[in-house]
């Protein structure tokens, strides 16, 4: 259900712009020409003269916006099934101006976007586009380019600018914090009639039993990884073998490639091995919660390591699956007989370390609390809990996750929260989030206003008469 607070009204007044921001993340919509960051003012003037002058509708620092960029933005938005009837060209231009201002200021603040990162994202997007359209030829034709090189070059510039924009936005927003006192004052300032209404929610807990892998199966996987290492050392391609054998679906198509640093979100065991190797070195097989790996380091660049890896997940036997199901069925029976509570069973008997310390309580990845709003719940989880009555426990569910393997689980609903008007004590986390968003919007508005004043901005032709949220024409 939509929120009715003053802040949400303010946020919703920018709904159209937010929709545009969504498809900008795909890095295809805003296909405007980008002047290279290193180009000086004289070179920029020469470049401008090469363009059709009446096609340039705005300039922000060393970036330009063409009239056709607005048309491309409309085309991309409509191609995703979104209505464009209420979006004016002025609103679309306002969003493009914001993007350029962020990118321009990112360069001024020496925010670095490495070409290697852009190329990695470029390859992912080109692969996705080609898969959707059927061939590279169709992709080039769809985006009205003459060659694949021209298509890739323009997409590279778009991705780089979007990354600069995102990093600059993050820099501004990350500096904003909210205190309990500010949250309280924010809530008190909302008129009673405008208090948000939160939808029905529930809290969910689960117990997981993972089938046991036999020692024979573990040894088989380790031996196979050692064979692959020997083959590579004898001249075979690690990349090819990763494509063929790796169980890591996220990297197998790219030959097991990852680029990581100490802060990259990888399990500790993986990073420890990766940073212990020299260039060209291949690890011995090692174990993580996902299975067994070998790593080959390709390049070490300062604090970054470029590597390839092969993951092999030991196979679960039918007997192990049967044993796991019997174990979790027994746990369910003990809970229903009153021998042990669900929470205590989760703490002592569950194999899922992420939830067992909290009595099996699941954490909502979107909000980082235990509440799941029914209308926003993951469909697979909703299907598992929607028909459960109070205090009921699901039948054993076989969860076959391609990333972590097969496991059995039982689920229960520990709390139901009906649709209700916001309560400061009960809904503090949500209210704090709203207060933080309001403060971030104010910080962005203040930052944008200040940067507009000190940045060269020019709007041409009829677009000078646009009514913008920001003072782009510097009246």
């Amino acid at each position: 259900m939509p929120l009715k607070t003053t802040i949400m009204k303010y946020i919703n007044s920018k709904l159209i712009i937010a929709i545009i921001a969504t498809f900008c993340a795909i890095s295809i919509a805003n296909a405007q020409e980008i002047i290279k960051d290193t180009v000086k003012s004289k070179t920029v003037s020469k470049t401008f003269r090469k363009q059709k002058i009446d096609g340039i509708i705005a300039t922000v620092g060393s970036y330009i916006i063409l009239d056709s960029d607005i048309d491309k933005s409309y085309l991309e938005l409509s191609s995703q099934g979104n209505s464009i009837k209420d979006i004016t060209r002025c609103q679309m231009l306002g969003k493009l101006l914001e993007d350029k201002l962020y990118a321009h200021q990112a360069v001024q603040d020496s925010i670095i976007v490495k070409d290697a990162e852009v190329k990695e994202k470029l390859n992912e997007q080109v692969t996705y586009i080609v898969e959707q359209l059927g061939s590279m030829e169709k992709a080039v034709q769809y985006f009205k380019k003459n060659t694949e090189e021209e298509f890739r070059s323009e997409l590279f510039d778009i991705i780089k600018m979007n990354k600069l924009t995102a990093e600059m936005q993050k820099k501004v927003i990350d500096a904003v914090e909210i205190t309990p006192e500010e949250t309280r004052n924010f809530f008190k300032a909302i008129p009673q009639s405008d208090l948000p209404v939160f939808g029905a929610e529930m809290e969910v807990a689960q117990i997981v039993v993972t089938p046991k892998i036999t020692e024979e199966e573990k040894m088989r996987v380790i031996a196979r990884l050692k064979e692959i290492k020997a083959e590579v050392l004898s001249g075979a391609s690690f990349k090819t073998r990763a494509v063929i054998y790796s169980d890591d679906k996220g990297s197998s198509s790219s030959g097991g490639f990852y680029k990581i640093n100490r802060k990259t979100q990888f399990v500790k065991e993986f990073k420890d091995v990766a940073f212990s190797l020299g260039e060209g070195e291949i690890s011995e097989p090692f174990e993580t919660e996902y299975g067994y790996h070998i790593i080959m380091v390709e390049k070490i660049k300062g604090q970054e390591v470029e590597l390839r890896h092969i993951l092999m997940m030991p196979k679960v036997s039918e007997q192990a699956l049967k044993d796991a199901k019997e174990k979790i069925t027994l746990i369910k029976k003990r809970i229903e007989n009153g021998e042990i509570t669900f929470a205590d069973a989760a703490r002592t008997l569950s194999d899922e370390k992420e939830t067992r310390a909290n009595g099996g309580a699941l954490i909502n990845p979107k909000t980082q609390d235990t509440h799941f709003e029914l209308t926003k719940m993951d469909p697979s989880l909703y299907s598992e809990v929607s028909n459960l009555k109070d205090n009921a426990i699901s039948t054993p569910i076989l969860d076959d996750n391609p990333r972590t393997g097969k496991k059995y689980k039982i689920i229960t609903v520990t709390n139901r929260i009906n649709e209700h008007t916001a309560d400061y004590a009960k809904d503090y986390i949500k209210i704090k989030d709203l207060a933080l968003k309001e403060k971030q919007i104010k910080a962005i508005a203040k930052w944008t206003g200040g940067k507009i004043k000190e940045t060269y901005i020019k709007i041409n032709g009829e677009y000078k008469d646009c009514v913008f949220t920001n003072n782009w024409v510097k009246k």
Side-chain angles (χ1 to χ4, degrees), residues 340-356:
I340 190 171
T341 66
F342 193 101
D344 285 342
R347 293 187 186 98
T348 58
L349 301 173
S350 180
D351 291 329
E352 188 173 61
K353 63 181 181 181
E354 294 85 0
T355 60
R356 63 189 178 205

Side-chain angles (χ1 to χ4, degrees), residues 39 133 266 276 370 386 398:
V39 177
L133 298 178
F266 274 71
S276 71
T370 58
S386 58
L398 178 60

Side-chain angles (χ1 to χ4, degrees), residues 358-389:
N358 296 320
L362 294 180
I363 300 298
N364 188 332
K366 296 179 181 178
T367 61
Q368 296 305 308
D369 64 15
T370 58
H371 291 191
F372 290 82
E373 190 171 345
L374 297 188
T375 58
K376 298 177 181 178
M377 185 178 284
D378 179 87
S380 61
L381 178 60
Y382 181 80
S383 68
E384 293 168 350
V385 301
S386 58
N387 294 323
L388 283 179
K389 296 180 180 179

